[in-house]
Amino acid sequence: MGNAIAIAKKELNIYFATPIAYVMFMLFVVIGSYFFLRLLGAYELASLQYMRFNAPEMANRLNFQDSIFRNLFGNLGVILIFIVPFLTMRLIAEEKRQKTIELLYTTPITSGSIVWGKYLAALVILFCTLLLTITYPVLIQIVARDQNGVEWRSVLLGYAGLFLMGAAYMALGLFISACTESQVVAALITFVLLLMTWIIGWSAQEAEGWVRELVTYLATVSHLDSFSRGTLELKDVVYFLSIITLGLFATHRAVEAHRWS
Amino acid sequence: MIEVSHLVKSYRDLKAVQDISFTVQKGEIFGFLGPNGAGKTTTMRILTGVMPPTSGTARVAGFDVFEQPMEVKRRIGYLPETPPLYPDMTVRAYLRFVAEIKGLAGPARTRDVERVAAQTNCTAYIERVIGNLSKGQRQRVGIAQALLGDPEVLILDEPTSGLDPAQQREVRDLIKGLAGKHTIILSTHILPEVQATCQKVLIISSGRIVANDTLEGLQRAHAGAVTADGQPGPAPSLEEIFLKLTSA
């Protein structure tokens, strides 16, 4: 475990010594803020209209969770598909290309520590990225004061869902990075893979019966959405955790295989 | 200290190393020579536990590299052909990282980083980013990395490549100074360097051993014809012996 932390510290050192981390933070916040402002504008418009048409029962049903955060988390999830490949592409591919992986192979650390360390660093970056966007609910809380304020429990659950989804994406990205020496190839394949897990949900609309259920289960979008609605269900947690386990296991195998080649 | 017996490594059809056996005594500097592609790097990679051999065994400090790789890795410092450096890190951050994964912690780690930096003359640029260093400076950081943790065995793959003559001499002196305490396998193409530093020489060609002897032994074996007055012929240079053995 100590070795894994040493690797993670080294990875974070490199993330923050190069522009990668900062550029990703900025992209995520810029695009996230754009979505947030759009949703906020729509909310404002809806509440104005309800007031003008004197529909208090509609106005009462209006809440931040359903009209802003649920959509916002969905949008942030899409942005993750675009930024995760760029965060994970270098993790192992770069070590192979620079031959620094030989250093890791000749020091007394296991492949498991290498994989864990790299993954931990990726999770820290993911956590920081998401943390930056917590300004949105905080802003709403400040402006809205206490009347129909932010449901923090639901918001935090939404963040937990986003984190789990990002963690699952990172595990897949890490695996792809372990399979190639080229960072560009790693990023491209990861991107296509992540996009597939998202858009596969669209075909659920045409399917029927068990196919429909299977496709819905496979799509990340449905699992993220149940978190951002503010519900915690075991099946969603299991879904993300199984992708993480699969990704890390496959990465470990890939690193071992590379050692033997 | 190092025992290699009947080592074979093949990559699919290509036989990189074919039945190599040798031993290195404790405290020796062992010169490892051969043309490019002869199997030097492959042998070193097996010894350091980067990859397993196809067949045969290798033992370092009494531990089998295949059965107890962790014990072997704790006792080896390795400088690969390309120094394994992270261009985005500073020299200090890099050395601290390597020390940490070699199991050093706390004040011992800080002390050891200072020690190897001083030993390899890296102290002047220890706060600089590795990507901005010259080739010679990088090479020295690579050697510093191998010395961390004071390993019993040092395996250096072309440690003086890319260095200017003054730096080459510096590194040569450093390696000589390490002999006795450390057992060193030194691979190089610079033959005078071998003459200056190594006690024993192993020459391989196309994956096979063509010579394994002391320098004097080699020179005696390949001495020119006996002259008319009964004196032994002129001792050939290592270069002549090397070319003769590897061209066959």
Side-chain angles (χ1 to χ4, degrees):
Chain A
M1 198 60 204
N3 284 328
I5 289 172
I7 301 266
K9 281 197 308 206
K10 188 235 20 171
E11 292 305 328
L12 289 170
N13 182 321
I14 293 177
Y15 270 128
F16 286 103
T18 55
I20 311 177
Y22 305 105
V23 169
M24 288 304 149
F25 289 164
M26 199 191 70
L27 279 180
F28 196 73
V29 170
V30 166
I31 305 175
S33 303
Y34 172 76
F35 282 125
F36 174 65
L37 290 177
R38 293 278 309 257
L39 290 166
L40 198 63
Y43 179 89
E44 204 181 350
L45 193 69
S47 69
L48 273 177
Q49 276 172 343
Y50 294 153
M51 277 208 285
R52 184 183 303 157
F53 298 121
N54 210 355
E57 70 282 1
M58 291 297 278
N60 279 342
R61 290 218 328 245
L62 203 61
N63 65 69
F64 296 123
Q65 188 64 32
D66 283 339
S67 29
I68 297 185
F69 294 117
R70 190 175 162 192
N71 294 322
L72 182 66
F73 288 144
N75 292 333
L76 294 182
V78 181
I79 311 175
L80 278 183
I81 293 180
F82 288 88
I83 71 161
V84 163
F86 294 101
L87 289 173
T88 54
M89 64 178 190
R90 52 161 293 277
L91 282 172
I92 295 176
E94 191 181 43
E95 299 248 17
K96 285 195 194 173
R97 173 65 52 89
Q98 288 175 357
K99 310 255 185 232
T100 44
I101 197 115
E102 277 196 21
L103 173 72
L104 305 183
Y105 288 166
T106 52
T107 41
I109 52 175
T110 57
S111 302
S113 297
I114 298 175
V115 175
W116 267 118
K118 303 247 166 203
Y119 190 58
L120 264 177
L123 290 188
V124 170
I125 295 285
L126 175 67
F127 186 80
C128 296
T129 314
L130 293 179
L131 198 65
L132 290 170
T133 64
I134 212 148
T135 38
Y136 310 146
V138 168
L139 268 178
I140 289 195
Q141 178 73 44
I142 292 170
V143 174
R145 301 231 172 68
D146 55 358
Q147 41 127 2
N148 295 330
V150 176
E151 289 173 50
W152 280 100
R153 190 186 156 274
S154 307
V155 166
L156 290 179
L157 258 180
Y159 271 110
L162 264 183
F163 184 77
L164 273 175
M165 191 185 81
Y169 284 173
M170 290 283 195
L172 293 177
L174 186 63
F175 168 60
I176 305 294
S177 179
C179 294
T180 172
E181 272 189 20
S182 158
Q183 297 191 42
V184 176
V185 169
L188 276 174
I189 297 181
T190 308
F191 175 65
V192 170
L193 190 68
L194 300 188
L195 202 61
M196 287 305 290
T197 67
W198 189 272
I199 62 180
I200 196 176
W202 297 348
S203 56
Q205 287 156 351
E206 298 133 36
E208 285 175 358
W210 65 270
V211 180
R212 186 191 174 102
E213 274 183 37
L214 180 73
V215 170
T216 317
Y217 184 78
L218 285 179
T220 38
V221 59
S222 56
H223 299 281
L224 176 65
D225 194 51
S226 91
F227 274 99
S228 28
R229 277 201 313 265
T231 54
L232 179 63
E233 283 187 60
L234 188 63
K235 72 170 168 58
D236 305 316
V237 178
V238 167
Y239 171 81
F240 288 127
L241 287 184
S242 36
I243 293 184
I244 293 171
T245 313
L246 182 74
L248 293 183
F249 176 75
T251 312
H252 183 259
R253 295 286 88 193
V255 171
E256 283 282 288
H258 182 249
R259 234 179 229 246
W260 283 67
S261 64
Chain B
M1 198 57 165
I2 301 171
E3 298 155 49
V4 174
S5 73
H6 304 292
L7 206 63
V8 175
K9 176 76 189 179
S10 24
Y11 302 97
R12 293 206 176 86
D13 303 333
L14 182 80
K15 287 204 162 170
V17 172
Q18 307 181 41
D19 200 25
I20 279 188
S21 306
F22 62 86
T23 54
V24 184
Q25 302 302 320
K26 190 170 163 51
E28 253 178 0
I29 304 185
F30 192 78
F32 199 36
L33 310 181
N36 283 325
K40 297 191 300 287
T41 301
T42 303
T43 310
M44 294 197 196
R45 286 164 62 116
I46 293 171
L47 279 179
T48 49
V50 175
M51 58 188 185
T54 307
S55 69
T57 56
R59 295 173 79 80
V60 175
F63 297 98
D64 190 287
V65 290
F66 186 66
E67 305 289 340
Q68 290 159 297
M70 287 300 165
E71 293 301 322
V72 170
K73 287 172 192 179
R74 264 183 213 118
R75 289 165 176 80
I76 284 189
Y78 177 44
L79 172 69
E81 223 171 341
T82 335
L85 307 174
Y86 298 99
D88 298 314
M89 294 174 93
T90 63
V91 176
R92 186 190 296 281
Y94 171 72
L95 290 178
R96 287 185 65 84
F97 164 65
V98 179
E100 198 173 352
I101 58 174
K102 283 188 174 185
L104 294 165
R109 174 160 74 130
T110 313
R111 256 201 321 274
D112 218 41
V113 167
E114 296 298 332
R115 177 183 67 85
V116 299
Q119 223 171 354
T120 52
N121 273 332
C122 292
T123 318
Y125 47 88
I126 198 162
E127 301 298 347
R128 283 178 58 193
V129 174
I130 292 174
N132 297 339
L133 299 180
S134 72
K135 191 155 188 278
Q137 289 170 326
R138 284 185 212 193
Q139 193 69 29
R140 281 190 279 166
V141 177
I143 299 173
Q145 160 276 122
L147 293 175
L148 278 170
D150 212 11
E152 296 167 50
V153 176
L154 283 171
I155 298 187
L156 308 173
D157 202 349
E158 299 184 24
T160 50
S161 77
L163 301 180
D164 65 39
Q167 291 168 334
Q168 282 184 10
R169 167 168 293 178
E170 223 171 76
V171 169
R172 210 179 298 150
D173 292 342
L174 172 68
I175 293 172
K176 269 197 207 165
L178 294 169
K181 199 164 154 233
H182 303 260
T183 308
I184 302 170
I185 292 188
L186 177 71
S187 145
T188 178
H189 285 304
I190 305 165
L191 298 172
E193 195 169 289
V194 179
Q195 252 158 339
T197 48
C198 300
Q199 283 107 39
K200 281 184 84 179
V201 180
L202 178 84
I203 303 178
I204 65 172
S205 178
S206 314
R208 293 177 193 282
I209 293 183
V210 290
N212 180 7
D213 205 343
T214 58
L215 256 176
E216 298 78 54
L218 270 181
Q219 282 171 331
R220 221 175 301 125
H222 295 273
V226 178
T227 48
D229 52 2
Q231 293 295 311
S237 73
L238 187 57
E239 191 178 345
E240 284 163 349
I241 301 171
F242 179 84
L243 290 175
K244 185 172 148 199
L245 287 172
T246 55
S247 61

